[in-house]
PDB file of all heavy atoms in Angstrom:
ATOM      1  N   VAL K1021      -4.111 -11.647  -6.841  1.00  0.00           N
ATOM      2  CA  VAL K1021      -4.029 -13.013  -6.355  1.00  0.00           C
ATOM      3  C   VAL K1021      -5.235 -13.255  -5.471  1.00  0.00           C
ATOM      4  O   VAL K1021      -5.485 -12.463  -4.564  1.00  0.00           O
ATOM      5  CB  VAL K1021      -2.696 -13.249  -5.552  1.00  0.00           C
ATOM      6  CG1 VAL K1021      -2.725 -14.603  -4.867  1.00  0.00           C
ATOM      7  CG2 VAL K1021      -1.509 -13.145  -6.449  1.00  0.00           C
ATOM      8  N   VAL K1023      -7.323 -14.714  -2.577  1.00  0.00           N
ATOM      9  CA  VAL K1023      -6.966 -15.197  -1.235  1.00  0.00           C
ATOM     10  C   VAL K1023      -8.244 -15.512  -0.488  1.00  0.00           C
ATOM     11  O   VAL K1023      -9.166 -14.684  -0.470  1.00  0.00           O
ATOM     12  CB  VAL K1023      -6.151 -14.105  -0.484  1.00  0.00           C
ATOM     13  CG1 VAL K1023      -5.952 -14.498   0.970  1.00  0.00           C
ATOM     14  CG2 VAL K1023      -4.819 -13.888  -1.138  1.00  0.00           C
ATOM     15  N   ASP K1025     -10.561 -15.317   2.233  1.00  0.00           N
ATOM     16  CA  ASP K1025     -10.797 -14.544   3.463  1.00  0.00           C
ATOM     17  C   ASP K1025     -12.163 -13.879   3.285  1.00  0.00           C
ATOM     18  O   ASP K1025     -12.649 -13.725   2.177  1.00  0.00           O
ATOM     19  CB  ASP K1025      -9.690 -13.491   3.664  1.00  0.00           C
ATOM     20  CG  ASP K1025      -9.687 -12.962   5.087  1.00  0.00           C
ATOM     21  OD1 ASP K1025      -9.853 -13.773   5.995  1.00  0.00           O
ATOM     22  OD2 ASP K1025      -9.536 -11.750   5.298  1.00  0.00           O
ATOM     23  N   LYS K1063     -13.016  -2.100   5.084  1.00  0.00           N
ATOM     24  CA  LYS K1063     -11.713  -1.424   5.084  1.00  0.00           C
ATOM     25  C   LYS K1063     -11.544  -0.712   3.741  1.00  0.00           C
ATOM     26  O   LYS K1063     -11.965  -1.236   2.734  1.00  0.00           O
ATOM     27  CB  LYS K1063     -10.601  -2.466   5.243  1.00  0.00           C
ATOM     28  CG  LYS K1063      -9.201  -1.887   5.187  1.00  0.00           C
ATOM     29  CD  LYS K1063      -8.175  -3.007   5.243  1.00  0.00           C
ATOM     30  CE  LYS K1063      -7.958  -3.517   6.631  1.00  0.00           C
ATOM     31  NZ  LYS K1063      -7.155  -2.666   7.495  1.00  0.00           N
ATOM     32  N   PRO K1075       1.134   8.674   1.790  1.00  0.00           N
ATOM     33  CA  PRO K1075       0.165   8.538   2.884  1.00  0.00           C
ATOM     34  C   PRO K1075      -0.267   9.868   3.461  1.00  0.00           C
ATOM     35  O   PRO K1075      -1.396  10.048   3.861  1.00  0.00           O
ATOM     36  CB  PRO K1075       0.926   7.692   3.916  1.00  0.00           C
ATOM     37  CG  PRO K1075       2.179   7.265   3.304  1.00  0.00           C
ATOM     38  CD  PRO K1075       2.431   8.075   2.082  1.00  0.00           C
ATOM     39  N   HIS K1079      -4.049  11.294   3.994  1.00  0.00           N
ATOM     40  CA  HIS K1079      -4.493  11.633   5.342  1.00  0.00           C
ATOM     41  C   HIS K1079      -5.023  13.065   5.353  1.00  0.00           C
ATOM     42  O   HIS K1079      -6.059  13.355   5.963  1.00  0.00           O
ATOM     43  CB  HIS K1079      -3.319  11.483   6.321  1.00  0.00           C
ATOM     44  CG  HIS K1079      -3.676  11.872   7.724  1.00  0.00           C
ATOM     45  ND1 HIS K1079      -3.337  13.059   8.281  1.00  0.00           N
ATOM     46  CD2 HIS K1079      -4.390  11.204   8.671  1.00  0.00           C
ATOM     47  CE1 HIS K1079      -3.811  13.129   9.511  1.00  0.00           C
ATOM     48  NE2 HIS K1079      -4.426  12.014   9.776  1.00  0.00           N
ATOM     49  N   SER K1092      -9.026   0.959   9.889  1.00  0.00           N
ATOM     50  CA  SER K1092      -7.753   1.500   9.395  1.00  0.00           C
ATOM     51  C   SER K1092      -7.587   1.228   7.894  1.00  0.00           C
ATOM     52  O   SER K1092      -7.764   0.097   7.454  1.00  0.00           O
ATOM     53  CB  SER K1092      -6.649   0.817  10.182  1.00  0.00           C
ATOM     54  OG  SER K1092      -5.439   1.010   9.587  1.00  0.00           O
ATOM     55  N   PRO K1093      -7.232   2.237   7.106  1.00  0.00           N
ATOM     56  CA  PRO K1093      -7.117   2.052   5.648  1.00  0.00           C
ATOM     57  C   PRO K1093      -5.781   1.402   5.242  1.00  0.00           C
ATOM     58  O   PRO K1093      -4.846   1.313   6.058  1.00  0.00           O
ATOM     59  CB  PRO K1093      -7.177   3.449   5.101  1.00  0.00           C
ATOM     60  CG  PRO K1093      -6.580   4.273   6.215  1.00  0.00           C
ATOM     61  CD  PRO K1093      -6.916   3.622   7.493  1.00  0.00           C
ATOM     62  N   ASP K1094      -5.717   0.989   4.041  1.00  0.00           N
ATOM     63  CA  ASP K1094      -4.502   0.353   3.526  1.00  0.00           C
ATOM     64  C   ASP K1094      -4.125   1.027   2.232  1.00  0.00           C
ATOM     65  O   ASP K1094      -5.000   1.456   1.437  1.00  0.00           O
ATOM     66  CB  ASP K1094      -4.823  -1.112   3.299  1.00  0.00           C
ATOM     67  CG  ASP K1094      -3.587  -1.912   2.986  1.00  0.00           C
ATOM     68  OD1 ASP K1094      -2.478  -1.449   3.291  1.00  0.00           O
ATOM     69  OD2 ASP K1094      -3.720  -3.048   2.455  1.00  0.00           O
ATOM     70  N   LEU K1095      -2.827   1.158   1.998  1.00  0.00           N
ATOM     71  CA  LEU K1095      -2.316   1.765   0.759  1.00  0.00           C
ATOM     72  C   LEU K1095      -1.476   0.719   0.025  1.00  0.00           C
ATOM     73  O   LEU K1095      -0.630   0.091   0.635  1.00  0.00           O
ATOM     74  CB  LEU K1095      -1.394   2.933   1.057  1.00  0.00           C
ATOM     75  CG  LEU K1095      -1.982   4.155   1.741  1.00  0.00           C
ATOM     76  CD1 LEU K1095      -0.863   5.150   2.040  1.00  0.00           C
ATOM     77  CD2 LEU K1095      -3.015   4.826   0.868  1.00  0.00           C
ATOM     78  N   ASP K1104       6.539  -8.113  -9.413  1.00  0.00           N
ATOM     79  CA  ASP K1104       6.004  -9.186  -8.557  1.00  0.00           C
ATOM     80  C   ASP K1104       4.913  -8.654  -7.625  1.00  0.00           C
ATOM     81  O   ASP K1104       4.412  -9.403  -6.811  1.00  0.00           O
ATOM     82  CB  ASP K1104       7.147  -9.765  -7.695  1.00  0.00           C
ATOM     83  CG  ASP K1104       8.088 -10.583  -8.526  1.00  0.00           C
ATOM     84  OD1 ASP K1104       7.757 -10.853  -9.713  1.00  0.00           O
ATOM     85  OD2 ASP K1104       9.170 -10.952  -8.022  1.00  0.00           O
ATOM     86  N   ILE K1105       4.600  -7.388  -7.755  1.00  0.00           N
ATOM     87  CA  ILE K1105       3.649  -6.836  -6.806  1.00  0.00           C
ATOM     88  C   ILE K1105       2.230  -7.047  -7.317  1.00  0.00           C
ATOM     89  O   ILE K1105       1.927  -6.799  -8.479  1.00  0.00           O
ATOM     90  CB  ILE K1105       3.921  -5.349  -6.565  1.00  0.00           C
ATOM     91  CG1 ILE K1105       5.346  -5.203  -6.017  1.00  0.00           C
ATOM     92  CG2 ILE K1105       2.903  -4.734  -5.605  1.00  0.00           C
ATOM     93  CD1 ILE K1105       5.801  -3.812  -5.872  1.00  0.00           C
ATOM     94  N   PHE K1106       1.399  -7.520  -6.424  1.00  0.00           N
ATOM     95  CA  PHE K1106       0.005  -7.855  -6.828  1.00  0.00           C
ATOM     96  C   PHE K1106      -0.931  -7.393  -5.729  1.00  0.00           C
ATOM     97  O   PHE K1106      -0.543  -7.011  -4.639  1.00  0.00           O
ATOM     98  CB  PHE K1106      -0.150  -9.343  -7.052  1.00  0.00           C
ATOM     99  CG  PHE K1106       0.233 -10.161  -5.822  1.00  0.00           C
ATOM    100  CD1 PHE K1106      -0.603 -10.319  -4.756  1.00  0.00           C
ATOM    101  CD2 PHE K1106       1.527 -10.746  -5.751  1.00  0.00           C
ATOM    102  CE1 PHE K1106      -0.237 -11.032  -3.648  1.00  0.00           C
ATOM    103  CE2 PHE K1106       1.904 -11.462  -4.631  1.00  0.00           C
ATOM    104  CZ  PHE K1106       1.027 -11.602  -3.569  1.00  0.00           C
ATOM    105  N   ASP K1108      -3.910  -8.643  -3.305  1.00  0.00           N
ATOM    106  CA  ASP K1108      -4.666  -9.835  -2.837  1.00  0.00           C
ATOM    107  C   ASP K1108      -6.118  -9.481  -2.804  1.00  0.00           C
ATOM    108  O   ASP K1108      -6.519  -8.420  -2.355  1.00  0.00           O
ATOM    109  CB  ASP K1108      -4.134 -10.278  -1.467  1.00  0.00           C
ATOM    110  CG  ASP K1108      -4.301  -9.206  -0.397  1.00  0.00           C
ATOM    111  OD1 ASP K1108      -3.670  -8.136  -0.544  1.00  0.00           O
ATOM    112  OD2 ASP K1108      -5.055  -9.429   0.556  1.00  0.00           O
TER     113      ASP K1108
ATOM    114  N   LEU B 669      -2.548 -19.737   0.252  1.00  0.00           N
ATOM    115  CA  LEU B 669      -1.979 -18.428   0.576  1.00  0.00           C
ATOM    116  C   LEU B 669      -0.522 -18.295   0.158  1.00  0.00           C
ATOM    117  O   LEU B 669       0.122 -17.305   0.458  1.00  0.00           O
ATOM    118  CB  LEU B 669      -2.107 -18.182   2.087  1.00  0.00           C
ATOM    119  CG  LEU B 669      -3.539 -18.132   2.609  1.00  0.00           C
ATOM    120  CD1 LEU B 669      -3.561 -18.136   4.129  1.00  0.00           C
ATOM    121  CD2 LEU B 669      -4.235 -16.884   2.094  1.00  0.00           C
ATOM    122  N   HIS B 671       1.037 -17.680  -2.675  1.00  0.00           N
ATOM    123  CA  HIS B 671       1.350 -16.523  -3.495  1.00  0.00           C
ATOM    124  C   HIS B 671       1.364 -15.244  -2.648  1.00  0.00           C
ATOM    125  O   HIS B 671       2.273 -14.406  -2.733  1.00  0.00           O
ATOM    126  CB  HIS B 671       0.343 -16.428  -4.616  1.00  0.00           C
ATOM    127  CG  HIS B 671       0.769 -15.590  -5.798  1.00  0.00           C
ATOM    128  ND1 HIS B 671       0.307 -15.774  -7.077  1.00  0.00           N
ATOM    129  CD2 HIS B 671       1.611 -14.544  -5.864  1.00  0.00           C
ATOM    130  CE1 HIS B 671       0.875 -14.890  -7.870  1.00  0.00           C
ATOM    131  NE2 HIS B 671       1.674 -14.120  -7.178  1.00  0.00           N
ATOM    132  N   LEU B 672       0.358 -15.138  -1.801  1.00  0.00           N
ATOM    133  CA  LEU B 672       0.273 -13.966  -0.935  1.00  0.00           C
ATOM    134  C   LEU B 672       1.473 -13.882   0.015  1.00  0.00           C
ATOM    135  O   LEU B 672       2.076 -12.827   0.194  1.00  0.00           O
ATOM    136  CB  LEU B 672      -1.018 -14.038  -0.067  1.00  0.00           C
ATOM    137  CG  LEU B 672      -1.177 -12.933   0.956  1.00  0.00           C
ATOM    138  CD1 LEU B 672      -1.644 -11.646   0.276  1.00  0.00           C
ATOM    139  CD2 LEU B 672      -2.146 -13.324   2.036  1.00  0.00           C
ATOM    140  N   GLY B 675       4.609 -12.822  -1.868  1.00  0.00           N
ATOM    141  CA  GLY B 675       4.557 -11.397  -2.152  1.00  0.00           C
ATOM    142  C   GLY B 675       4.858 -10.568  -0.911  1.00  0.00           C
ATOM    143  O   GLY B 675       5.623  -9.604  -0.957  1.00  0.00           O
ATOM    144  N   PHE B 681       9.955 -13.834  -7.545  1.00  0.00           N
ATOM    145  CA  PHE B 681       9.061 -14.751  -8.286  1.00  0.00           C
ATOM    146  C   PHE B 681       9.755 -15.419  -9.469  1.00  0.00           C
ATOM    147  O   PHE B 681       9.311 -16.410  -9.990  1.00  0.00           O
ATOM    148  CB  PHE B 681       7.831 -14.005  -8.792  1.00  0.00           C
ATOM    149  CG  PHE B 681       6.841 -13.613  -7.713  1.00  0.00           C
ATOM    150  CD1 PHE B 681       5.700 -12.895  -8.031  1.00  0.00           C
ATOM    151  CD2 PHE B 681       7.066 -13.936  -6.372  1.00  0.00           C
ATOM    152  CE1 PHE B 681       4.794 -12.540  -7.054  1.00  0.00           C
ATOM    153  CE2 PHE B 681       6.178 -13.556  -5.387  1.00  0.00           C
ATOM    154  CZ  PHE B 681       5.032 -12.852  -5.717  1.00  0.00           C
ATOM    155  N   LYS B 717      -7.890 -19.294  12.004  1.00  0.00           N
ATOM    156  CA  LYS B 717      -7.453 -19.785  10.676  1.00  0.00           C
ATOM    157  C   LYS B 717      -7.056 -21.247  10.758  1.00  0.00           C
ATOM    158  O   LYS B 717      -7.342 -22.024   9.833  1.00  0.00           O
ATOM    159  CB  LYS B 717      -6.258 -18.950  10.199  1.00  0.00           C
ATOM    160  CG  LYS B 717      -6.553 -17.499   9.917  1.00  0.00           C
ATOM    161  CD  LYS B 717      -7.305 -17.377   8.597  1.00  0.00           C
ATOM    162  CE  LYS B 717      -7.685 -15.914   8.335  1.00  0.00           C
ATOM    163  NZ  LYS B 717      -8.742 -15.773   7.336  1.00  0.00           N
ATOM    164  N   ASP B 839      -0.838  -4.831   5.336  1.00  0.00           N
ATOM    165  CA  ASP B 839      -2.108  -5.335   5.883  1.00  0.00           C
ATOM    166  C   ASP B 839      -2.648  -6.450   5.008  1.00  0.00           C
ATOM    167  O   ASP B 839      -3.128  -6.207   3.914  1.00  0.00           O
ATOM    168  CB  ASP B 839      -3.092  -4.154   5.946  1.00  0.00           C
ATOM    169  CG  ASP B 839      -4.404  -4.596   6.527  1.00  0.00           C
ATOM    170  OD1 ASP B 839      -4.488  -5.696   7.078  1.00  0.00           O
ATOM    171  OD2 ASP B 839      -5.378  -3.845   6.424  1.00  0.00           O
ATOM    172  N   VAL B 841      -4.050 -11.010   5.367  1.00  0.00           N
ATOM    173  CA  VAL B 841      -4.387 -12.059   6.323  1.00  0.00           C
ATOM    174  C   VAL B 841      -3.118 -12.668   6.936  1.00  0.00           C
ATOM    175  O   VAL B 841      -3.154 -13.112   8.101  1.00  0.00           O
ATOM    176  CB  VAL B 841      -5.219 -13.198   5.662  1.00  0.00           C
ATOM    177  CG1 VAL B 841      -6.631 -12.733   5.378  1.00  0.00           C
ATOM    178  CG2 VAL B 841      -4.575 -13.746   4.412  1.00  0.00           C
ATOM    179  N   PRO B 865      -2.057  -1.218  13.014  1.00  0.00           N
ATOM    180  CA  PRO B 865      -3.070  -1.808  13.895  1.00  0.00           C
ATOM    181  C   PRO B 865      -3.508  -3.199  13.444  1.00  0.00           C
ATOM    182  O   PRO B 865      -4.670  -3.436  13.195  1.00  0.00           O
ATOM    183  CB  PRO B 865      -4.229  -0.811  13.789  1.00  0.00           C
ATOM    184  CG  PRO B 865      -4.068  -0.214  12.441  1.00  0.00           C
ATOM    185  CD  PRO B 865      -2.619  -0.239  12.061  1.00  0.00           C
ATOM    186  N   SER B 883      -2.512   3.947  11.340  1.00  0.00           N
ATOM    187  CA  SER B 883      -2.969   3.360  10.082  1.00  0.00           C
ATOM    188  C   SER B 883      -1.923   3.690   9.018  1.00  0.00           C
ATOM    189  O   SER B 883      -1.036   4.517   9.244  1.00  0.00           O
ATOM    190  CB  SER B 883      -4.332   3.944   9.708  1.00  0.00           C
ATOM    191  OG  SER B 883      -4.177   5.253   9.222  1.00  0.00           O
ATOM    192  N   SER B 884      -2.095   3.106   7.875  1.00  0.00           N
ATOM    193  CA  SER B 884      -1.063   3.282   6.818  1.00  0.00           C
ATOM    194  C   SER B 884      -0.911   4.719   6.382  1.00  0.00           C
ATOM    195  O   SER B 884       0.111   5.106   5.849  1.00  0.00           O
ATOM    196  CB  SER B 884      -1.381   2.388   5.619  1.00  0.00           C
ATOM    197  OG  SER B 884      -2.690   2.654   5.202  1.00  0.00           O
ATOM    198  N   ILE B 885      -1.940   5.536   6.613  1.00  0.00           N
ATOM    199  CA  ILE B 885      -1.864   6.942   6.153  1.00  0.00           C
ATOM    200  C   ILE B 885      -1.448   7.905   7.280  1.00  0.00           C
ATOM    201  O   ILE B 885      -1.383   9.105   7.053  1.00  0.00           O
ATOM    202  CB  ILE B 885      -3.160   7.422   5.483  1.00  0.00           C
ATOM    203  CG1 ILE B 885      -4.345   7.367   6.467  1.00  0.00           C
ATOM    204  CG2 ILE B 885      -3.474   6.603   4.260  1.00  0.00           C
ATOM    205  CD1 ILE B 885      -5.618   8.010   5.875  1.00  0.00           C
ATOM    206  N   GLU B 886      -1.241   7.376   8.476  1.00  0.00           N
ATOM    207  CA  GLU B 886      -1.009   8.292   9.598  1.00  0.00           C
ATOM    208  C   GLU B 886       0.393   8.273  10.163  1.00  0.00           C
ATOM    209  O   GLU B 886       0.657   8.915  11.182  1.00  0.00           O
ATOM    210  CB  GLU B 886      -1.993   7.952  10.740  1.00  0.00           C
ATOM    211  CG  GLU B 886      -3.430   8.277  10.394  1.00  0.00           C
ATOM    212  CD  GLU B 886      -4.387   7.697  11.412  1.00  0.00           C
ATOM    213  OE1 GLU B 886      -4.186   6.544  11.862  1.00  0.00           O
ATOM    214  OE2 GLU B 886      -5.364   8.371  11.745  1.00  0.00           O
ATOM    215  N   VAL B 889       1.879  11.712  10.917  1.00  0.00           N
ATOM    216  CA  VAL B 889       1.236  12.419  12.045  1.00  0.00           C
ATOM    217  C   VAL B 889       1.661  11.805  13.366  1.00  0.00           C
ATOM    218  O   VAL B 889       2.012  12.500  14.318  1.00  0.00           O
ATOM    219  CB  VAL B 889      -0.302  12.335  11.888  1.00  0.00           C
ATOM    220  CG1 VAL B 889      -1.010  12.977  13.052  1.00  0.00           C
ATOM    221  CG2 VAL B 889      -0.734  12.934  10.565  1.00  0.00           C
TER     222      VAL B 889
END
Side-chain angles (χ1 to χ4, degrees):
Chain K
V1021 170
V1023 172
D1025 196 41
K1063 177 185 281 284
H1079 178 259
S1092 166
D1094 189 18
L1095 296 176
D1104 288 350
I1105 300 174
F1106 57 80
D1108 60 297
Chain B
L669 297 170
H671 199 153
L672 176 77
F681 288 179
K717 294 285 177 197
D839 182 12
V841 289
S883 75
S884 54
I885 62 173
E886 291 168 321
V889 177

